[in-house]
């Protein structure tokens, strides 16, 4: 090797590491191991000789002028950088495998050249230092990693480089997106002037992935370090990833991120991987070997739902008996041939429940099953699970009978039509000319049964909140909708009729299961209520007072009381097309009919609940918070000059809570904004503003006592 020296003297070219980068210099003075060095930028520095990299030289004559020394340094640096970039590192690593565990830079240089000069050795040293995945510098030699270690370190190095690239371009781009979101700055184009502010396609893809992961799960530890670096300097707001994605154009305005957090696929394409299983279920619903083998129940069932309902999962028939009324309830029966534990079932379990939103419904089941093959359509035979129960004059009910059958509904009725018929009956006039008129007698019997049952439940301590829920409607384009919030048609009797029948059926099968030792999923609310809380409540302040004494209901295997319903046990099973617990309970009852025993024991149902609880919690958040978002947007669109009628529900020395009944909304404001006489039950008028729908924020700007 020509040009290499053992000890540096004045005129010797040397290299050392500074900031994890190789620096080249020329020795101008050496004294007892301390060197004075000239750098290519014409500056000088002092360095201990022990810090030099183990390739020294070449040795140039002393006494050179400063400009000549700088020129020599530039020549050596360019040669070494060019040679290092061309060094076949992977080939050298493969040649070293099995030959040496470690070797100096000279050994690697000699693999590809005879008598390499010092610039060639230095170039190899530089290249080996940069290849941290395959070599480790342990002066004066380079350790050669094994194939397994090299592969692992290569992956780590790739990850590090990607992270650095993301950090380098991503942080600035995120700041740009924040300006787009908040300062109405235009997003630079993908091509042309200004496009240099955008990241490369590879980096952009990774940034989008990070944002989507953080949007769906703000508490995730995935990409945590990367996210902290990317978002440094940006405000710590709850929905920053969502806002950046919308500013980027990756998500539309008003995007429903709650579905992402629930891992709930919208639309009706999520089931396509299970198309074969769904075809089999559709055929089984009508085939002689499947549901078609069931006997036909001759009763002329009718259903009552809203005008938009397509997944009809319950219908009824009521007849008078000696001493009371007899209800036969027909329920959609997907459980009859359902493959629990199969691929489709696991996907449905992860959905947990249907979700009904102003922008559209998200069905738990594929629509070809939930709104077609199993939906109880008038005039079409469907498999049904039936519950027959008698109610006496006092509203008490006898043990129920359960059976499976084919049901052919006489009609699918609407709440508003049924209410018009019931109103006419109450007024003693002829029923209106609508589709519900031919079923006036059935509606009258059904309402009689419902009133008996409600009175009996109230006598047992039931709490009934009669609070009409306004309807939210969206008009115009999805990217900029106008929101309408208003009370819908009022159908209290028709809704009472349906609600009490559903409660009755679930209470009756819960009693049957208790007597048979059949484990079920129960909805419980085991809390003691004062006797005076029983009844029907309509005033906002009174409802708030009573609600304070209630605890949230729970889904559990143990059969415990449900205080608000006034029932000793309650096993929901009337909505198997819409709620997974109802589907499970229906399957348990169907299996009991077939075999006399349970499909799942208590331990199996408890294990199922461990999976189901977080799913239902997440879906519940979508159902609660998404309509609230639209209501907040509605208030913002109305502006801060509108006065809204409300009723005070709670107050203390600091805050006052107000119900807005017409909008189904509660707001809180500072006590100082209200009249000193403010108290629960007082009518007020509010002016609202500073509305941030995304952040769930709204403020009372002004409050006055209603005249």
């Amino acid at each position: 090797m020509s040009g290499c020296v053992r000890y540096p003297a004045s005129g010797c070219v040397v290299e050392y590491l500074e900031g994890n980068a190789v620096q080249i210099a020329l020795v101008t003075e050496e004294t007892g191991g301390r060197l004075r060095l000239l750098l290519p930028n014409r500056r000088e520095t002092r360095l201990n000789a022990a810090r030099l990299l183990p390739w020294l030289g070449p040795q140039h004559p002393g006494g050179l002028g400063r400009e000549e020394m700088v020129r020599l340094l530039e020549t050596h640096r360019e040669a070494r950088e060019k040679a290092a970039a061309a060094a076949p590192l992977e080939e050298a690593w493969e040649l070293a495998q099995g030959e040496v565990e470690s070797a100096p830079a000279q050994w690697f240089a000699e693999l590809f050249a005879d008598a390499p000069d010092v610039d060639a050795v230095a170039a190899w040293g530089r290249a080996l230092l940069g290849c941290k995945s395959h070599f480790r510098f342990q002066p004066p030699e380079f350790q050669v990693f094994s194939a397994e270690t090299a592969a692992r370190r290569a992956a780590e190095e790739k990850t590090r480089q990607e992270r650095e690239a993301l950090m380098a371009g991503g942080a600035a781009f995120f700041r740009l997106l924040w300006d787009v979101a908040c300062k109405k700055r235009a997003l630079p184009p993908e091509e042309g002037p200004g496009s240099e502010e955008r990241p490369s396609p590879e980096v952009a893809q990774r940034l989008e992935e990070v944002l989507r992961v953080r949007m769906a799960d703000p508490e995730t530890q995935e990409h945590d370090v990367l996210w902290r670096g990317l978002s440094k300097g940006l405000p710590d707001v709850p929905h920053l990833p969502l806002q950046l994605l919308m500013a980027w154009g990756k998500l539309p305005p008003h995007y429903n991120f709650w579905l992402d957090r629930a891992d709930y696929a919208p639309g009706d394409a999520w089931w396509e991987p299970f198309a074969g299983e769904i075809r089999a279920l559709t055929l089984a619903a009508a085939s002689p070997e499947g549901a078609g083998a069931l006997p036909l129940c001759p009763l002329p069932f009718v259903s009552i739902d809203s005008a938009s309902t397509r997944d009809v999962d319950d219908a009824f028939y009521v007849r008078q008996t000696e001493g009371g009324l007899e209800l036969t309830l027909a329920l959609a029966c997907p459980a009859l041939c359902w493959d629990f534990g199969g691929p489709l079932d696991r996907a449905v379990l992860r959905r947990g429940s249907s979700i009904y939103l102003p922008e559209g419904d998200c069905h738990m089941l594929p629509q070809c099953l939930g709104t077609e093959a199993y939906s109880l359509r008038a005039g079409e035979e469907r498999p049904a699970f039936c519950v027959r129960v008698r109610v006496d004059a006092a509203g008490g009910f006898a043990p129920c009978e359960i059976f499976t059958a084919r049901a052919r509904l006489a009609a699918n009725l609407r709440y508003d039509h049924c209410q018009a018929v019931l109103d006419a009956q109450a007024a003693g006039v002829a029923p209106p000319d609508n589709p519900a008129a031919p079923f006036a007698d059935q509606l009258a019997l059904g309402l009689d049964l419902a009133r008996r049952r409600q009175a009996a439940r109230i006598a047992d301590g039931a709490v009934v909140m009669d609070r009409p829920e306004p309807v939210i409607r969206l008009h115009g384009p999805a990217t900029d909708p106008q929101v309408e919030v208003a009370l819908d048609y009022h159908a209290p009797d028709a809704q009472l009729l349906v609600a009490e029948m559903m409660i009755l059926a679930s209470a009756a099968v819960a009693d049957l299961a208790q007597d048979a030792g059949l484990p079920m999923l129960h909805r419980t609310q085991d809390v003691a209520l004062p006797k005076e809380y029983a009844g029907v409540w309509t005033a906002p302040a009174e409802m708030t007072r009573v609600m304070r004494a209630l605890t949230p209901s729970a889904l559990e295997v143990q059969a415990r009381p449900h205080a608000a319903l006034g029932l000793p046990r309650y096993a929901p099973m009337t909505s198997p097309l819409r709620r997974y617990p109802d589907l499970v309970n229906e399957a348990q009852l169907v299996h009991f009919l077939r075999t006399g025993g349970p499909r799942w024991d208590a331990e199996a149902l408890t294990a199922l609940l461990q999976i189901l609880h977080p799913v239902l919690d997440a879906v519940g958040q979508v159902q609660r918070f998404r309509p609230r978002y639209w209501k907040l947007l509605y208030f913002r669109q109305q502006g801060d000059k509108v006065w809204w009628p409300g009723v005070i529900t709670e107050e203390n020395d600091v805050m006052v809570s107000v119900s807005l009944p017409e909008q189904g909304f509660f707001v809180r404001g500072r006590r100082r904004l209200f009249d000193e006489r403010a108290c629960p039950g007082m009518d007020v008028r509010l002016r609202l503003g500073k509305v941030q729908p995304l952040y769930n924020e709204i403020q009372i700007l002004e409050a006055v006592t209603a005249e």
Side-chain angles (χ1 to χ4, degrees):
M1 180 178 67
S2 60
C4 185
V5 298
R6 295 187 64 184
Y7 302 106
S10 179
C12 182
V13 176
V14 295
E15 290 187 338
Y16 62 96
L17 287 172
E18 186 73 44
N20 208 30
V22 176
Q23 308 292 332
I24 192 170
L26 194 139
V27 178
T28 59
E29 182 181 331
E30 188 274 330
T31 306
R34 292 288 296 173
L35 308 175
R36 176 182 289 177
L37 305 178
L38 176 68
L39 305 178
N41 61 7
R42 294 177 173 78
R43 294 184 178 178
E44 290 190 350
T45 188
R46 292 186 178 274
L47 192 74
N48 194 306
R51 287 188 56 193
L52 296 180
L53 293 170
W55 43 84
L56 307 177
Q59 177 72 53
H60 293 284
L64 296 175
R66 182 176 289 265
E67 291 303 318
E68 178 65 13
M69 288 190 288
V70 169
R71 185 188 65 76
L72 285 171
L73 283 175
E74 288 292 349
T75 300
H76 288 296
R77 182 171 65 177
E78 290 177 5
R80 294 179 181 189
E81 288 178 350
K82 182 177 180 180
L89 289 167
E90 192 159 336
E91 184 179 351
W93 175 76
E94 291 177 353
L95 291 171
Q97 287 292 297
E99 293 293 327
V100 294
E101 293 185 358
S102 64
Q106 179 181 345
W107 186 87
F108 290 95
E110 289 175 346
L111 287 175
F112 298 92
D114 294 331
D117 63 14
V118 69
D119 282 335
V121 173
W124 269 99
R126 285 171 171 252
L128 293 167
L129 283 170
C131 189
K132 293 182 173 59
S133 58
H134 290 67
F135 306 94
R136 173 185 290 160
F137 185 45
Q138 293 181 319
E141 297 187 338
F142 289 89
Q143 178 186 354
V144 181
F145 288 138
S146 66
E148 180 181 348
T149 302
R152 176 177 55 79
R153 291 178 64 90
E156 293 172 352
E157 180 65 13
K158 182 180 179 182
T159 300
R160 184 189 64 80
Q161 291 174 355
E162 289 176 350
R163 184 169 59 248
E164 289 179 354
L166 283 171
M167 295 289 287
F173 185 59
F174 278 11
R175 289 192 292 272
L176 168 63
L177 291 177
W178 182 250
D179 288 344
V180 172
C182 299
K183 300 179 181 179
K184 308 304 179 185
R185 176 179 173 180
L187 184 67
E190 294 186 7
E191 297 181 358
S195 61
E196 65 277 359
E197 293 187 83
R198 283 178 171 263
S200 67
E202 295 79 12
V203 171
Q205 180 179 357
R206 189 81 171 95
L207 291 174
E208 182 180 352
E209 176 190 342
V210 171
L211 287 173
R212 288 184 180 273
V213 168
R214 298 292 301 191
M215 176 187 68
D217 184 5
E219 304 302 322
T220 182
Q221 297 301 309
E222 186 177 0
H223 317 306
D224 189 55
V225 175
L226 177 60
W227 171 251
R228 289 201 300 269
L230 290 170
S231 60
K232 188 176 182 180
L234 294 178
D236 184 19
V237 294
H239 304 296
L240 178 61
L242 171 65
Q243 290 181 272
L244 297 182
L245 284 166
M246 288 194 295
W248 195 352
K250 298 296 183 180
L251 295 177
H254 311 294
Y255 181 75
N256 188 357
F257 66 93
W258 290 107
L259 289 174
D260 293 81
R261 292 194 176 178
D263 194 22
Y264 197 110
D268 193 43
W270 60 270
W271 54 265
E272 290 176 357
F274 321 110
E277 188 176 352
I278 291 169
R279 280 193 298 270
L281 286 170
T282 303
L283 292 173
S287 70
E289 295 79 16
L294 298 174
L296 178 65
C297 182
L299 298 179
F301 295 104
V302 295
S303 68
I304 306 177
D305 292 282
S306 63
S308 61
T309 299
R310 298 293 177 266
D311 48 351
V312 180
D313 53 13
D314 59 81
F316 70 92
Y317 177 78
V318 182
R319 72 179 184 92
Q320 271 188 319
T321 63
E322 185 177 347
L325 299 167
E326 182 184 82
L327 166 68
T328 303
L329 194 68
L331 302 171
C333 197
L336 202 64
C337 302
W338 194 259
D339 179 20
F340 286 93
L344 175 62
D345 174 65
R346 291 195 295 270
V348 171
L349 170 58
R350 288 195 296 271
R351 295 171 77 79
S353 171
S354 295
I355 302 174
Y356 301 96
L357 302 174
E359 61 265 46
D361 299 337
C362 298
H363 295 276
M364 180 182 78
L365 296 182
Q367 290 187 34
C368 54
L369 296 179
T371 65
E372 296 180 24
Y374 290 121
S375 183
L376 301 180
R377 292 183 174 182
E380 301 180 15
E381 291 185 8
R382 292 289 188 268
F385 180 83
C386 300
V387 181
R388 181 169 289 153
V389 58
R390 291 190 175 190
V391 176
D392 60 29
F397 62 89
C400 69
E401 173 192 355
I402 58 175
F403 58 95
T404 53
R406 285 177 293 140
R408 184 189 293 115
L409 270 61
N412 296 128
L413 305 180
R414 288 170 33 178
Y415 279 116
D416 53 346
H417 292 158
C418 294
Q419 186 63 45
V421 171
L422 293 170
D423 288 343
Q425 289 176 337
V429 300
D433 184 15
N434 71 32
F439 305 95
D441 291 342
Q442 267 296 292
L443 295 175
L445 290 173
L447 182 58
D448 184 12
L449 182 146
R451 286 173 172 167
R452 295 186 193 187
R453 280 299 304 145
Q454 186 181 74
R457 289 196 304 110
I458 290 174
D460 289 333
V463 175
V464 181
M465 301 296 176
D466 187 5
R467 179 168 51 203
E469 182 64 29
V471 175
I472 304 170
R473 295 184 177 90
L474 307 180
H475 307 284
T479 55
D480 187 23
Q482 289 299 304
V483 186
E484 175 191 356
V485 179
L487 293 175
D488 204 3
Y489 60 82
H490 194 45
D493 294 331
Q495 290 171 334
L496 172 67
L497 185 157
V498 174
E500 287 298 334
M501 289 181 181
M502 301 306 108
I503 295 171
L504 171 59
S506 296
V509 297
D511 285 355
L512 180 149
Q514 180 80 359
D515 293 340
L518 187 67
M520 299 280 280
L521 299 180
H522 296 86
R523 180 63 65 179
T524 66
Q525 192 181 50
D526 195 4
V527 59
L529 293 177
K531 291 183 178 180
E532 61 269 21
Y533 279 18
V536 179
W537 302 94
T538 57
E542 293 176 340
M543 285 192 285
T544 299
R545 176 175 59 87
V546 174
M547 288 294 292
R548 287 294 183 193
L550 294 173
T551 58
S553 64
L555 190 66
E556 56 188 7
V557 177
Q558 184 179 358
R560 296 195 295 157
H562 194 299
L565 294 179
L567 296 171
R569 61 195 65 86
Y570 177 77
M573 40 72 69
T574 59
S575 293
L577 301 181
R578 307 177 188 184
R579 299 193 295 255
Y580 196 84
D582 294 46
L583 177 62
V584 169
N585 278 343
E586 183 180 71
Q588 187 81 320
L589 292 165
V590 168
H591 194 271
F592 175 72
L593 274 176
R594 287 173 170 170
T595 68
R599 181 187 183 97
W600 298 281
D601 60 18
E603 290 74 16
L605 288 180
T606 301
L608 174 63
L609 280 182
Q610 292 178 350
I611 302 172
L612 192 54
H613 274 145
V615 171
L616 295 179
D617 287 345
V619 172
Q621 286 187 331
V622 182
Q623 192 67 74
R624 288 195 308 275
F625 289 113
R626 186 59 174 176
R628 182 175 175 84
Y629 172 88
W630 291 119
K631 288 181 181 180
L632 286 165
L633 184 60
Y634 167 75
F635 285 118
R636 188 170 73 179
Q637 289 177 349
Q638 300 305 306
D640 60 4
K641 307 302 181 188
V642 178
W643 288 88
W644 304 91
V647 180
I648 294 177
T649 58
E650 292 181 293
E651 62 88 25
N652 56 39
D653 292 341
V654 180
M655 304 295 291
V656 174
S657 297
V658 180
S659 167
L660 306 179
E662 294 182 12
Q663 292 75 37
F665 202 81
F666 286 86
V667 290
R668 300 181 72 212
R670 295 287 181 184
R671 183 66 175 78
R672 57 181 172 77
L673 294 172
F674 291 80
D675 189 284
E676 61 183 10
R677 299 167 296 171
C679 62
M682 178 180 286
D683 292 332
V684 294
R685 294 169 63 237
L686 306 178
R687 194 165 61 84
L688 306 173
K690 297 183 178 179
V691 185
Q692 294 287 345
L694 185 59
Y695 297 153
N696 192 25
E697 293 177 356
I698 187 170
Q699 291 187 21
I700 298 176
L701 303 180
E702 197 173 353
V704 298
T705 303
E707 298 296 334

